[in-house]
């Protein structure tokens, strides 16, 4: 079975930053290929969705999407078409001005949302609103928008998340 994890970076992030590398190590340990598209050319989140949907995923039996901030919006909107096995969302940029979609149809077998209490970019209330509406598990950490101080916990969560798929 061919499996892939696709990491969708945030608005001002890079495709292979600190978080990406750590998630890639976990994914590879479970036999997943790992992709991190470069979205830096587009500041419009919906252009990034189009870029993700243009990827050829036909060779994969299982797709897992990770998204951080704007990347979580991208992964969630794209999930409606991709129908991944899992959605793993960090500080999702939901319900913000300039983001076209405010109603979602998150499509995945398992969806997890992680947010920081001290996030001053995307209020934690936005994650709660999404999770309440779609009945998704919300995990809150005492960290800021980038969530770097919570990375050890997030890596553990991601490992358990992938293990839950029989990896």
């Amino acid at each position: 079975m061919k499996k892939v994890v696709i990491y969708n970076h945030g608005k001002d992030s890079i495709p292979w930053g600190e978080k990406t590398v750590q998630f890639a190590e976990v994914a590879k340990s479970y036999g997943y290929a790992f992709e991190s598209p470069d979205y830096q050319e587009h500041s419009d989140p919906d252009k990034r969705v189009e870029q993700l949907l243009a990827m050829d995923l036909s060779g994969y039996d299982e797709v897992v999407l990770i998204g951080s901030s704007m990347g979580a919006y991208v992964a969630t909107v794209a999930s409606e078409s991709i129908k991944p096995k899992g959605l793993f969302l960090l500080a999702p940029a939901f319900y913000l001005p300039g983001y076209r979609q405010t109603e979602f149809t998150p499509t995945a077998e398992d969806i997890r949302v992680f947010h920081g209490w001290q996030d001053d970019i995307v209020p934690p209330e936005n994650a709660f609103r999404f999770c309440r509406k779609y009945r998704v598990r919300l995990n809150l950490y005492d960290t800021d928008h980038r969530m770097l101080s919570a990375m050890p916990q997030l890596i553990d969560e991601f490992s358990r998340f992938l293990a839950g798929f029989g990896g």
Side-chain angles (χ1 to χ4, degrees), residues 93-105:
F94 294 145
Y95 314 114
L96 296 178
Y99 286 63
R100 184 173 67 215
Q101 206 155 320
T102 56
E103 292 299 319
F104 303 93
T105 310

Side-chain angles (χ1 to χ4, degrees), residues 144-162:
D144 62 10
H145 184 68
R146 295 189 64 219
M147 301 191 80
L148 292 177
S149 66
M151 278 308 291
Q153 297 95 321
L154 293 171
I155 291 301
D156 286 347
E157 288 280 357
F158 187 59
S159 182
R160 284 194 294 278
F161 184 69
L162 292 181

